[in-house]
Amino acid sequence: MKICTVILALSCIIISVNAASIRESKRVKVYGNVRDAENNPLELVNISIKGAIIGAVTNEKGYYSLNVNTGDSIVLVFSCVGYYTSERIIPQLSQDMRLNVKMVNRTIELGQVFITASRHQADMMESIEAGRIKTLPDPSGGSIESLVVTYAGVSSNNELSSQYSVRGGNYDENIVYVNGLEVFRPLMIRSGQQEGLSFINPEMIENVRFSAGGFEARYGDKMSSVLDIIYKKPKYFEGSLTASLLGISAYAGNSIGKFTQITGIRYKTTRSLLGTLDTKGEYNPDFIDLQTYITYSLSPKLSADFMGNMSVNNYIFMPKMKETMFGTARNPRMFTVDFLNSKERDRFETLFGALTLKYTLNDDTQYGFQASMFNSNEEETYDITGIYRQDIAEAGTIDEDILSTPGGASYHEHARNRLNAQVTNVGFFVLIKPNVANTLKSGINVQHERIMDRISEWESRDSSGYSLPQTGATVNVVSNLFSNNQLESLRYSAYVQNIFKFRIPQGMFTLIAGIRGSYWNYNKEFIASPRFSAGFIPNANQNLVLRFASGLYYQPPFYKELRIIEKDTFGNNFITLNRDLKSQRSTHFILGSDYNFRAAGRPFKFTAEMYYKKLDNINPHTIDNVKIRYYGKNCATGYTAGLDMKLFGEFVQGADSWLSISLIKSRQTIHDTLTVPMPNDQMYNISLYFQDYFPGNKRAKISLKGVLAGGLPVTIPNKGWESHKQTGGRRTSPYRRLDIGFSYQIAGGEDRIMDRPFFNNFKNIWLGVDVFNLPDINNANSYYWITDVYNNQYAVPNYLTGRQLNFRISVDF
């Protein structure tokens, strides 16, 4: 009995102590939103209790939540790179409290120029400021890709094309999203002259993010990079008009109640630019693009978005004559072609439409449905007949009495190619935030593809009256290719990923882990792609960010990759589709860091990333201009390793500039016997984007874009990589280019001229002059191979554009 009494007494004491402890340790929640001066939500803001290790971080919507003990007052510290630190004193709390904070950015103001310090990049996606395109000297007429190629790890050796290579990959290995939807481009384009306008309208862009590798599972199955574009949702009426020698573009956007729209139209012609090529003639390139993005709020929780695009690209060319100087100083050569009744006519028509429905259950849950359709009608026709000769050139003249091999010759190229592609996609996605530290994303897609391909092309040559090649008494064409194929298939894909942010005493982690799976009913292949990345910001030095990413990245074959060339009994080449072709695979390992610092009183950021990509099941390919020809077989393995570095900051006070340096080595082994470079193994790439202002006049601006890149491996057309060794391991000459633009803001900002009646409706007016290829360097991105009667081959470079002036005007209203 006494023992029971003692136990009961001890139990009462313990319960009393615990109750007191619970009352003393009662916790309440402090929560709210953090925004910038323009009322935009701020992500990755650190919220900590002064003198303690307890803290939180804001999510994409700027929301945070922090549990604190009741009792003494506390001091909350809000800090974020690029913004002034803010402190809030919280008195004794007895219940939950909402605290919203507005942070002031660290901004340098010089006249009408505003430069804001950069923020942390804790994931593998890098932000790009699309507004810089306004004054960028760009031969393509203004594209976001022209800015992307100045970033580390990205390269391009053709100013006429918007395609780019990322860390040794080809153009097909890059995926582009606009408003969460994958966009496509025509399949038959073989040269930059034909390409026309990029799908992305830079004037309609709100946000741009880019990753050169290690990207999240929610992005599709590509091996190299992702470019993620978000279009504007205007709050007020806005618009612009831009005109230059390269074309004209305009857009207008507005918002009326629950409705917003932004519509842009672009017209591009490269007639003046193509006039600087070695091949002279009548160039008639006309490229038109119409695009719209419409949003409507059906209810407070349900919204609908529509995006539509129509593009018509016409390229007509009637060559007259071509003169190309090549060779060495000791052995200069002149290649001359006189064209006879020759004409090329290409037409590419594309239509794209997409509908997105979003249902927002609450601040933490969103469901979405997407449906899109892409249709492309492509036509390529040409008959080119030319009489050519290769002469010895002396001091800029031609010795007509001394003709080197092959002497006088002629050739005829013929093509009648047609292609129609239809891609329909339906998907469903979910976004859930179970707490402030986690963001779950998942989705499922079904894609239907229907492609019809008709190819009929051939080339014949003769040298000094002899047709080439000769096989006994049989005379064959140099090359031919025929196709009559149709493909219809279904692809299924799904992904799930989690973004997890948390703090430890040493700093803050951002972890992104996910897995992606897909199945294609054509080759009966299922692939699973796990991906992971981690970012760490140490408390000891919040100017430093460390990153690591790894994962399996597959490239399921699309139509072009399936094509395999076979020969019939007469020696003709015809295309069949390889149903057994499997996905190429790239295993990424990436280690990188950012370091923010100040020098000479100005902000800078140095970024470095080392990477290694193990490549399996490679489908080898060759590149001629921008045309990619695949082997159609998984017959190679390889690797790519490199180092990317970028210095970003105010090289000149008040203007952002950057210098990117990339080193790369990329190799492939074909059929276990032939080891050669990958097609885009440039070895090095140095790019510069530089801005400056005239002393004493901040309205007069200079923008400079420079590229120095190593040469690419050379192969002989239709002979594959075996021909690379026949050329002695030849590479193209280094790609060297310098474009400079001069811009003057004649009206804008708070200038007094804006008070005049004529200028009342304008925000800015810019006048500009560009000089493309300022040093007038001859860059070759492909070769034309000529053959004599002895089957000796000679490589004649196809040079790109020369020096050219461009005038432009841009008006914002």
Side-chain angles (χ1 to χ4, degrees):
M1 186 70 180
K2 290 183 179 179
I3 296 176
C4 292
T5 303
V6 172
I7 293 174
L8 181 61
L10 289 174
S11 299
C12 292
I13 293 171
I14 291 171
I15 292 172
S16 300
V17 171
N18 284 341
S21 176
I22 291 173
R23 285 193 300 269
E24 291 177 1
S25 60
K26 182 181 178 182
R27 298 170 72 82
V28 295
K29 182 171 70 172
V30 179
Y31 64 97
N33 293 86
V34 182
R35 297 180 177 273
D36 62 15
E38 297 179 352
N39 211 36
N40 297 313
L42 291 178
E43 184 186 7
L44 296 178
V45 177
N46 296 315
I47 301 99
S48 60
I49 299 177
K50 197 169 187 177
I53 63 172
I54 300 174
V57 62
T58 57
N59 62 14
E60 294 89 344
K61 293 185 177 181
Y63 177 79
Y64 74 95
S65 176
L66 187 67
N67 292 322
V68 300
N69 294 328
T70 58
D72 295 336
S73 64
I74 59 173
V75 178
L76 289 184
V77 181
F78 297 79
S79 62
C80 180
V81 173
Y83 295 84
Y84 289 106
T85 299
S86 179
E87 295 185 357
R88 296 291 188 272
I89 299 175
I90 308 298
Q92 294 182 0
L93 293 174
S94 58
Q95 59 183 4
D96 294 349
M97 175 183 178
R98 183 179 186 90
L99 177 64
N100 295 329
V101 175
K102 184 168 289 188
M103 300 188 69
V104 179
N105 55 348
R106 294 178 179 270
T107 302
I108 300 172
E109 181 177 347
L110 291 173
Q112 297 301 317
V113 182
F114 296 87
I115 305 299
T116 303
S118 60
R119 295 176 58 195
H120 284 316
Q121 179 196 335
D123 56 14
M124 302 305 294
M125 300 293 290
E126 185 172 8
S127 295
I128 298 177
E129 176 54 57
R132 294 189 174 97
I133 298 173
K134 209 70 164 173
T135 56
L136 178 71
D138 179 18
S140 68
S143 68
I144 189 64
E145 292 88 348
S146 63
L147 201 59
V148 171
V149 297
T150 65
Y151 277 58
V154 188
S155 63
S156 172
N157 68 333
N158 190 338
E159 64 273 5
L160 293 172
S161 172
S162 62
Q163 303 306 310
Y164 51 88
S165 168
V166 179
R167 292 177 175 172
N170 69 35
Y171 317 132
D172 294 335
E173 296 175 17
N174 306 315
I175 193 167
V176 178
Y177 283 88
V178 177
N179 296 331
L181 297 156
E182 182 181 357
V183 297
F184 302 87
R185 63 186 181 92
L187 301 176
M188 286 180 58
I189 290 176
R190 60 183 171 83
S191 68
Q193 292 94 309
Q194 302 170 309
E195 193 170 296
L197 290 156
S198 163
F199 180 94
I200 304 164
N201 188 328
E203 295 178 324
M204 297 171 64
I205 292 176
E206 175 72 26
N207 185 42
V208 184
R209 302 186 76 203
F210 174 77
S211 174
F215 43 89
E216 304 165 20
R218 66 188 175 104
Y219 295 114
D221 291 304
K222 296 288 186 178
M223 293 199 303
S224 289
S225 75
V226 60
L227 180 62
D228 193 358
I229 307 290
I230 300 296
Y231 277 175
K232 298 176 182 178
K233 294 182 180 179
K235 297 179 180 179
Y236 312 100
F237 176 78
E238 63 178 64
S240 76
L241 176 66
T242 302
S244 74
L245 296 181
L246 298 177
I248 187 169
S249 65
Y251 90 93
N254 69 308
S255 175
I256 303 175
K258 300 178 180 181
F259 172 86
T260 73
Q261 72 82 29
I262 184 168
T263 301
I265 185 169
R266 293 176 292 168
Y267 168 76
K268 174 184 173 181
T269 178
T270 53
R271 189 175 291 108
S272 62
L273 197 60
L274 296 178
T276 65
L277 297 173
D278 285 346
T279 302
K280 306 302 180 183
E282 296 181 21
Y283 289 94
N284 292 290
D286 293 304
F287 311 119
I288 300 174
D289 174 273
L290 176 65
Q291 202 161 150
T292 187
Y293 177 52
I294 299 170
T295 71
Y296 186 76
S297 179
L298 298 170
S299 72
K301 293 187 176 183
L302 181 63
S303 64
D305 301 350
F306 172 78
M307 182 171 65
N309 172 261
M310 180 182 70
S311 176
V312 179
N313 295 338
N314 285 304
Y315 176 75
I316 300 175
F317 175 44
M318 290 178 285
K320 301 298 182 184
M321 185 184 68
K322 176 176 181 175
E323 289 185 349
T324 301
M325 292 282 295
F326 68 104
T328 64
R330 298 183 62 181
N331 186 25
R333 301 277 178 173
M334 171 72 83
F335 177 69
T336 305
V337 183
D338 293 316
F339 294 98
L340 307 174
N341 298 320
S342 299
K343 185 175 182 179
E344 176 177 355
R345 181 185 180 276
D346 307 320
R347 184 176 178 88
F348 304 92
E349 298 178 354
T350 61
L351 294 172
F352 180 82
L355 176 67
T356 302
L357 298 175
K358 293 180 182 179
Y359 179 75
T360 303
L361 182 64
N362 51 51
D363 289 342
D364 300 322
T365 306
Q366 185 181 78
Y367 303 98
F369 169 82
Q370 291 179 323
S372 66
M373 176 176 285
F374 169 79
N375 184 81
S376 180
N377 285 306
E378 306 174 28
E379 178 182 339
E380 181 184 51
T381 64
Y382 56 80
D383 278 288
I384 306 294
T385 302
I387 299 175
Y388 66 88
R389 66 181 185 272
Q390 181 189 174
D391 303 321
I392 297 175
E394 295 289 350
T397 63
I398 302 173
D399 188 344
E400 298 287 354
D401 297 325
I402 305 176
L403 291 180
S404 63
T405 304
S410 66
Y411 72 96
H412 185 187
E413 295 178 347
H414 168 91
R416 296 293 184 271
N417 301 330
R418 308 283 190 279
L419 185 142
N420 174 261
Q422 295 178 1
V423 181
T424 305
N425 189 292
V426 177
F428 177 77
F429 65 87
V430 179
L431 186 150
I432 300 174
K433 298 178 180 178
N435 54 60
V436 70
N438 285 272
T439 301
L440 294 171
K441 298 180 180 180
S442 62
I444 185 169
N445 286 79
V446 179
Q447 182 167 295
H448 176 263
E449 299 162 5
R450 184 174 181 269
I451 299 172
M452 293 185 295
D453 183 27
R454 306 288 185 267
I455 293 177
S456 176
E457 61 182 51
W458 51 263
E459 179 184 359
S460 65
R461 296 184 192 174
D462 71 73
S463 179
S464 300
Y466 293 92
S467 295
L468 297 172
Q470 297 184 55
T471 308
T474 303
V475 177
N476 299 317
V477 294
V478 172
S479 64
N480 62 10
L481 188 64
F482 303 97
S483 172
N484 186 1
N485 292 300
Q486 182 169 326
L487 171 67
E488 190 163 0
S489 64
L490 286 170
R491 297 180 195 261
Y492 306 89
S493 63
Y495 72 89
V496 59
Q497 72 173 45
N498 183 31
I499 302 174
F500 183 42
K501 301 174 183 178
F502 64 94
R503 299 183 66 88
I504 62 174
Q506 289 77 26
M508 187 185 74
F509 274 101
T510 298
L511 305 181
I512 304 176
I515 186 168
R516 183 179 188 87
S518 66
Y519 174 79
W520 193 24
N521 72 347
Y522 185 77
N523 63 359
K524 311 299 183 186
E525 181 188 29
F526 174 79
I527 56 176
S529 174
R531 306 175 187 180
F532 170 81
S533 68
F536 179 66
I537 304 173
N539 284 334
N541 186 354
Q542 294 196 7
N543 290 316
L544 178 66
V545 180
L546 303 175
R547 290 187 301 274
F548 172 78
S550 183
L552 295 179
Y553 292 83
Y554 288 89
Q555 179 104 4
F558 201 62
Y559 178 75
K560 282 199 304 184
E561 290 95 318
L562 292 172
R563 298 193 299 188
I564 185 170
I565 299 177
E566 298 181 354
K567 287 185 179 293
D568 62 16
T569 55
F570 301 100
N572 295 310
N573 298 308
F574 63 95
I575 292 175
T576 61
L577 303 182
N578 183 4
R579 187 179 286 270
D580 297 324
L581 186 70
K582 302 302 181 183
S583 300
Q584 302 179 81
R585 184 176 69 183
S586 176
T587 307
H588 291 196
F589 300 95
I590 303 170
L591 180 64
S593 67
D594 295 341
Y595 181 66
N596 292 277
F597 64 97
R598 298 186 70 85
R602 301 192 293 271
F604 290 88
K605 182 173 77 172
F606 177 74
T607 299
E609 286 190 350
M610 296 184 296
Y611 61 90
Y612 177 83
K613 299 195 289 187
K614 183 178 182 296
L615 307 174
D616 301 293
N617 288 337
I618 295 176
N619 183 359
H621 62 277
T622 59
I623 301 178
D624 183 13
N625 202 305
V626 296
K627 188 181 183 82
I628 300 175
R629 287 191 183 273
Y630 291 91
Y631 277 40
K633 302 175 182 178
N634 300 114
C635 59
T637 59
Y639 71 89
T640 299
L643 172 65
D644 294 334
M645 297 172 287
K646 186 175 80 168
L647 179 62
F648 176 96
E650 297 182 21
F651 295 8
V652 174
Q653 188 173 16
D656 285 344
S657 304
W658 58 85
L659 173 68
S660 300
I661 301 175
S662 298
L663 305 175
I664 184 174
K665 183 177 183 180
S666 188
R667 293 291 183 271
Q668 61 181 337
T669 300
I670 303 174
H671 296 303
D672 297 323
T673 57
L674 178 64
T675 300
V676 291
M678 296 289 285
N680 284 300
D681 176 45
Q682 279 191 307
M683 298 189 294
Y684 64 89
N685 185 77
I686 303 172
S687 57
L688 172 68
Y689 176 76
F690 179 78
Q691 294 184 101
D692 197 0
Y693 297 87
F694 283 98
N697 189 349
K698 298 299 187 292
R699 295 184 176 277
K701 181 178 181 180
I702 301 174
S703 298
L704 183 148
K705 176 185 172 185
V707 177
L708 172 62
L712 297 175
V714 172
T715 59
I716 300 175
N718 306 312
K719 292 192 176 183
W721 279 101
E722 292 77 7
S723 65
H724 180 63
K725 291 194 173 182
Q726 297 176 25
T727 67
R730 183 172 188 156
R731 289 175 175 265
T732 62
S733 57
Y735 183 77
R736 300 155 293 169
R737 188 172 180 91
L738 185 65
D739 301 322
I740 189 169
F742 302 90
S743 304
Y744 186 79
Q745 188 182 28
I746 62 173
E750 298 177 357
D751 190 21
R752 291 180 181 177
I753 194 173
M754 302 301 291
D755 295 331
R756 299 178 184 177
F758 177 76
F759 295 101
N760 283 342
N761 296 319
F762 301 119
K763 294 179 182 178
N764 293 288
I765 301 177
W766 286 88
L767 295 179
V769 178
D770 301 321
V771 184
F772 302 137
N773 194 2
L774 181 63
D776 200 23
I777 295 173
N778 288 326
N779 290 305
N781 76 330
S782 63
Y783 289 86
Y784 182 78
W785 293 83
I786 55 178
T787 311
D788 62 15
V789 292
Y790 307 107
N791 264 344
N792 297 317
Q793 290 191 310
Y794 303 85
V796 180
N798 293 316
Y799 291 125
L800 293 167
T801 59
R803 185 189 296 124
Q804 178 69 20
L805 279 174
N806 180 50
F807 301 93
R808 53 185 163 80
I809 181 172
S810 177
V811 179
D812 298 327
F813 49 86

